[in-house]
Amino acid sequence: MRVLVVEDDRKTALFVRKALQTEGFATDVLGDGDALLETVASSHFDVVVLDIMLPGRDGLSLVRQMRERGLETPVLLLTARGEVGERVEGLNAGADDYLGKPFALAELVARVRALGRRGGDTKAVVLRLSDLTLDTVSRLARRGGQAIDLAPREYRLLEFLLRSSGRICGRMEIVEAVWDYDFDPGTNLVDVYIMRLREKLDAGRKPKLLHTVRGIGYVMKEPA
Amino acid sequence: MTIRARLTLWYSAVLLVSLFVLGGGLYYEFVVERAHAGWTGHPGEPVSHEINEVLGLYALPAALITVFGGWWLTRKALAPISALTDATEKMSAKNLRERLPRTGNGDEVDRLSGVLNAMLGRLEASFAQEREFTLHASHELKTPLTVMRGQIETALGEEQLTASQRDLLAGHLEEIQRLAGIVDGLSLLAKADAGLLVLQREAVRFDELVRDITEDTRILALSAGISVELENCEEITVLGDRHRLRQMLLNLAQNAVKHNRAGGWIRYSLRRINREVRLEIANAGPGIPPEMIPRVFDRFFRADVAHGPNIEGSGLGLSIAKWIVTAHGGNIRLSSRANVETTVIVQLPVRTGRERYGSAATNPASRTA
């Protein structure tokens, strides 16, 4: 997978590139937005990571120009976090995802990976993983035929993780999707919910399906 | 014309009128009546009687004219001052853009208004400067915070770190996240002060948000053995910004958990009273001394000095909650009984107009059904 990072702060660009390269993504860096359109038009990139505050340039207008020219490369916008309204604005301009600064590196990697394999999102009514099924109509979860009782929030969490199963989900990503927050709640809410969900799903059963990826987030998958 | 000149002139006029009344009376009693008595041959009234008559019939009205005329004049002269007082009283950091009314006639009050307006202008400028500063500061702080966080996370990924190095870095990471939280809060409030935040106005099922936060509070309070109850939760729709309302509820929930005792309780109650939503969040906290209650919504205010700076959080949670409630046209307050309970009360206007849920929710029959 090939990623283009557009970031004017040299140090930020450096560690972002390093993190993406460690994940095995080929990563190019642009220090400003001037050459963005030509670069994306002339060579193939799977994902563009774009800082919204570029010197003399507004990241939003760049996304808009990309889309007007028919360049459909997924864009992840980086912006100062907690800037209410910027998220909506960014998504309206044609960006695909949004991450506020300061972000967790792992979160960035997780989202870049998600964007890179976009389109795989399942619309299935019954989600399955190993012997776990989740019926999204009746909201019923079963494992090995045994019904699992879920609180509303636990259900939403499980549905989100199952819909992105096999992919590591970052904490902020989960908070946005399951809690509908556009800000960092600054608590261990997600971790505690995951713990309880894991108890209900995995306790005394094999294989374990809900895994913690230390310092990064969580993933649901069957062990290889 | 100055007020002094105006008062002198008007008061002279009033005195003149009352003198005319008195003088006219005297003239009538002593000149006209006596001449009349001389013509008709009637004996004249005794002088003492006539003096009484003059005092009763003319001096009293003349005195009344002087007193009430004076009262009316003073009131008229002072009216601009009370108007000025009222207008000045309404001034606060929130509406420094407004100016005091001026009469434009160049008198003392008008000059005073002018001087006060100039002062307001200077105040407005310095407030704006402070807001700008906070806004820029929080924006500028985010870049180094991003770099620090990214670099520490990268370093934590290195294999050859010792356990103590790892602990140190993890500690730094935690503090950076805390700092980022404070910067976020400050930038939100600075934007709000500058009027740069635009709230969405959509129909929001407030009861669903309250149900969600109750569930989350239960989870947050689990480790402290605090029980969480939802006493009432009527179906209520408000007009507002979903994300900000969630943020407000989370801030209040975190507060209720933080300032509680081990094994304590938290009670939520959401009701509709007339045209208002009333949310009460009570907890078994140690309480807040009455003299500190007005300050709990201040930025960085901490009521329990004993905990000092060790208690978690940014110190901005309640200020942000207050801003969100106020921006939705509601109000928030806190009441407390020492060592019994502390309650936060949020009042929001119910969504008006086409209310799809309203009537059904308040109908007791449909609730029990």
Side-chain angles (χ1 to χ4, degrees):
Chain A
M1 197 157 91
R2 192 160 171 216
V3 184
L4 178 63
V5 177
V6 189
E7 165 67 63
D8 63 308
D9 186 70
R10 202 178 46 83
K11 287 181 178 169
T12 308
L14 237 113
F15 70 72
V16 166
R17 180 165 69 183
K18 187 170 177 196
L20 291 172
Q21 280 172 343
T22 311
E23 291 300 309
F25 304 153
T27 309
D28 294 17
V29 174
L30 286 179
D32 56 55
D34 298 342
L36 173 67
L37 292 176
E38 289 72 58
T39 314
V40 177
S42 59
S43 44
H44 172 81
F45 286 96
D46 296 283
V47 179
V48 175
V49 177
L50 176 62
D51 187 2
I52 207 168
M53 293 278 287
L54 292 166
R57 281 271 195 165
D58 160 24
L60 282 182
S61 65
L62 282 173
V63 182
R64 228 171 266 128
Q65 283 173 34
M66 268 180 70
R67 298 303 183 232
E68 277 164 14
R69 288 207 198 172
L71 302 167
E72 294 302 327
T73 320
V75 172
L76 170 62
L77 273 185
L78 296 183
T79 144
R81 188 178 62 196
E83 305 293 312
V84 178
E86 272 193 6
R87 180 189 166 79
V88 181
E89 235 181 285
L91 299 184
N92 282 346
D96 300 84
D97 201 359
Y98 164 107
L99 194 56
K101 285 180 179 179
F103 48 82
L105 262 186
E107 186 86 41
L108 176 80
V109 172
R111 289 184 188 224
V112 166
R113 188 180 285 118
L115 285 180
R117 56 158 86 163
R118 204 174 46 143
D121 264 14
T122 168
K123 295 271 183 285
V125 171
V126 180
L127 306 167
R128 274 172 224 285
L129 181 68
S130 180
D131 58 346
L132 171 70
T133 58
L134 183 68
D135 186 325
T136 56
V137 175
S138 64
R139 303 203 148 204
L140 231 109
R142 289 177 175 278
R143 179 137 194 213
Q146 216 172 347
I148 299 169
D149 188 31
L150 293 175
R153 188 80 90 191
E154 290 168 342
Y155 166 80
R156 273 180 265 171
L157 179 58
L158 181 60
E159 185 186 347
F160 175 72
L161 289 171
L162 275 178
R163 284 202 190 275
S164 27
S165 75
R167 178 175 77 74
I168 300 170
C169 302
R171 245 183 221 90
M172 264 315 280
E173 196 185 348
I174 295 175
V175 161
E176 279 170 20
V178 179
W179 272 264
D180 187 29
Y181 288 166
D182 68 347
F183 55 92
D184 186 347
T187 59
N188 57 349
L189 211 53
V190 178
D191 309 75
V192 184
Y193 266 99
I194 291 273
M195 239 166 59
R196 285 165 55 97
L197 188 59
R198 180 178 286 139
E199 236 162 71
K200 293 187 176 178
L201 294 181
D202 285 347
R205 297 189 176 102
K206 270 187 179 162
K208 304 290 178 216
L209 297 176
L210 180 48
H211 306 269
T212 305
V213 186
R214 246 193 92 188
I216 300 185
Y218 301 95
V219 59
M220 288 209 76
K221 62 173 185 197
E222 278 184 278
Chain B
M1 210 191 311
T2 63
I3 293 182
R4 200 170 42 187
R6 221 159 49 215
L7 265 182
T8 316
L9 220 69
W10 288 348
Y11 205 71
S12 315
V14 170
L15 273 179
L16 220 62
V17 170
S18 70
L19 272 179
F20 266 119
V21 171
L22 196 58
L26 286 173
Y27 181 81
Y28 179 75
E29 287 293 332
F30 289 99
V31 182
V32 179
E33 278 215 330
R34 284 187 176 222
H36 190 69
W39 296 332
T40 52
H42 280 289
E45 288 173 274
V47 174
S48 66
H49 189 205
E50 283 193 60
I51 289 179
N52 279 344
E53 216 173 344
V54 167
L55 284 179
L57 278 175
Y58 309 107
L60 199 64
L64 283 179
I65 288 175
T66 331
V67 169
F68 283 103
W71 173 80
W72 179 77
L73 278 182
T74 327
R75 206 180 70 144
K76 198 167 144 57
L78 291 182
I81 295 184
S82 8
L84 189 63
T85 310
D86 290 345
T88 316
E89 218 166 26
K90 288 197 196 93
M91 283 291 172
S92 75
K94 301 264 180 298
N95 55 0
L96 282 177
R97 211 167 293 169
E98 286 170 30
R99 288 292 175 268
L100 302 171
R102 294 195 60 170
T103 51
N105 58 10
D107 66 10
E108 290 93 334
V109 176
D110 188 50
R111 269 169 46 218
L112 181 61
S113 310
V115 172
L116 285 176
N117 277 343
M119 186 187 76
L120 282 174
R122 289 195 297 276
L123 268 179
E124 187 195 358
S126 61
F127 264 87
Q129 220 166 29
E130 195 214 282
R131 270 200 306 266
E132 290 252 301
F133 172 77
T134 317
L135 213 58
H136 285 302
S138 36
H139 205 91
E140 292 300 322
L141 284 169
K142 278 183 183 170
T143 305
L145 280 174
T146 308
V147 173
M148 279 157 79
R149 182 166 181 180
Q151 289 181 340
I152 289 180
E153 282 179 339
T154 311
L156 276 169
E158 308 280 340
E159 305 279 318
Q160 67 270 31
L161 285 184
T162 66
S164 68
Q165 284 171 328
R166 206 171 283 279
D167 278 353
L168 181 76
L169 286 179
H172 282 348
L173 200 57
E174 254 173 49
E175 291 307 306
I176 286 171
Q177 272 161 273
R178 195 170 110 131
L179 199 51
I182 296 176
V183 170
D184 277 350
L186 276 179
S187 100
L188 182 86
L189 287 170
K191 280 197 153 186
D193 289 347
L196 292 175
L197 277 186
V198 184
L199 289 181
Q200 304 287 316
R201 281 175 70 81
E202 52 182 2
V204 178
R205 277 284 298 271
F206 195 60
D207 55 310
E208 283 174 4
L209 303 195
V210 171
R211 258 178 231 287
D212 280 351
I213 200 65
T214 310
E215 199 186 331
D216 289 342
T217 313
R218 218 163 264 150
I219 295 290
L220 286 172
L222 213 58
S223 58
I226 297 168
S227 65
V228 179
E229 255 179 83
L230 180 59
E231 283 188 334
N232 301 292
C233 192
E234 294 177 18
E235 246 178 58
I236 288 170
T237 305
V238 299
L239 207 58
D241 190 309
R242 198 172 84 245
H243 287 120
R244 299 285 76 75
L245 289 172
R246 282 194 190 278
Q247 188 168 15
M248 180 265 291
L249 290 173
L250 180 70
N251 285 353
L252 296 180
Q254 284 174 323
N255 224 61
V257 175
K258 220 158 46 187
H259 301 283
N260 214 315
R261 55 177 163 80
W265 48 263
I266 298 173
R267 277 197 309 261
Y268 283 87
S269 156
L270 176 67
R271 277 172 305 159
R272 177 202 184 111
I273 296 172
N274 299 324
R275 306 211 65 78
E276 268 192 341
V277 181
R278 189 185 170 97
L279 171 69
E280 292 183 9
I281 307 173
N283 73 355
I288 295 166
E291 69 273 14
M292 286 190 177
I293 286 185
R295 295 184 53 205
V296 292
F297 295 103
D298 289 358
R299 293 164 198 191
F300 297 119
F301 178 76
R302 300 208 189 266
D304 37 358
V305 190
H307 279 98
N310 288 330
I311 201 150
E312 306 158 36
S314 64
L316 293 171
L318 280 183
S319 313
I320 292 176
K322 178 172 183 172
W323 173 74
I324 293 172
V325 172
T326 317
H328 279 87
N331 69 69
I332 184 170
R333 65 198 147 86
L334 187 142
S335 73
S336 177
R337 277 187 294 157
N339 295 318
V340 183
E341 62 172 58
T342 304
T343 310
V344 174
I345 300 141
V346 174
Q347 280 163 301
L348 290 171
V350 178
R351 178 192 180 214
T352 49
R354 300 166 293 112
E355 285 178 52
R356 267 167 55 208
Y357 314 102
S359 54
T362 43
N363 181 353
S366 71
R367 260 212 314 282
T368 49

